[in-house]
């Protein structure tokens, strides 16, 4: 059974930083692309960042480019999202996902999802 468990969320002031982690089990982690998505109340789920199996290819939403960095450690079955210069509009529940994906940006390409971790950025 596949499990993805996110951690690292919390409350931070605008301009601050957080690092999210997502630990995976029950799958051959290095075979999968990993993505981060977020969803704020009343809004649709949106793509944040993704990374291919090798870590050599990454993709970011325009809204986070230059502020967020995705990385993975295949030896630890873990993907990270370093979030710097946080803004109130980054407030959302953040989910990690694993999939054998084509575009990396489409949420419906991902096979497995975590339960999410809440990020709240105060102004």
């Amino acid at each position: 059974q596949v499990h993805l468990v996110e951690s690292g969320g919390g409350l931070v002031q605008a301009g601050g930083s957080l690092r999210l982690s997502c630990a995976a089990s029950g799958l051959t982690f290095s075979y999968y692309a990993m993505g981060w998505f977020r969803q704020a109340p009343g809004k649709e789920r949106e793509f944040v960042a993704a990374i291919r199996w090798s870590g050599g290819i990454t993709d970011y939403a325009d809204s986070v480019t230059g502020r967020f960095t995705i990385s993975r450690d295949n030896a630890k079955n873990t993907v990270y999202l370093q979030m710097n210069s946080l803004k109130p509009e980054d407030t959302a529940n953040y989910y990690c996902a694993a999939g054998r994906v084509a575009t990396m940006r489409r949420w419906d390409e991902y096979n497995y999802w975590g339960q999410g971790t809440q990020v709240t950025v105060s102004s």
Side-chain angles (χ1 to χ4, degrees):
Q1 190 172 4
V2 176
H3 290 284
L4 302 178
V5 180
E6 301 96 336
S7 61
L11 173 64
V12 64
Q13 288 189 331
S17 298
L18 284 174
R19 188 174 86 149
L20 305 184
S21 300
C22 173
S25 61
L27 76 170
T28 306
F29 183 75
S30 60
Y31 286 2
Y32 287 81
M34 299 298 296
W36 286 97
F37 292 77
R38 65 188 182 188
Q39 188 166 19
K43 295 188 177 181
E44 294 187 353
R45 180 171 15 187
E46 65 171 345
F47 169 76
V48 176
I51 186 167
R52 288 281 183 196
W53 66 273
S54 67
I57 296 175
T58 58
D59 191 16
Y60 297 91
D62 290 345
S63 59
V64 307
T65 297
R67 300 188 297 123
F68 291 11
T69 302
I70 189 170
S71 61
R72 66 189 294 161
D73 186 338
N74 287 345
K76 295 183 178 180
N77 285 9
T78 301
V79 62
Y80 305 96
L81 185 68
Q82 177 67 44
M83 305 187 296
N84 299 328
S85 303
L86 282 161
K87 304 175 181 180
E89 51 264 44
D90 294 319
T91 295
N93 204 7
Y94 283 70
Y95 299 90
C96 75
R100 308 290 296 270
V101 302
T103 70
M104 298 202 291
R105 287 182 171 235
R106 288 179 50 180
W107 66 266
D108 58 348
E109 290 186 314
Y110 289 81
N111 306 101
Y112 305 106
W113 292 83
Q115 293 299 306
T117 185
Q118 178 67 36
V119 171
T120 303
V121 184
S122 63
S123 57

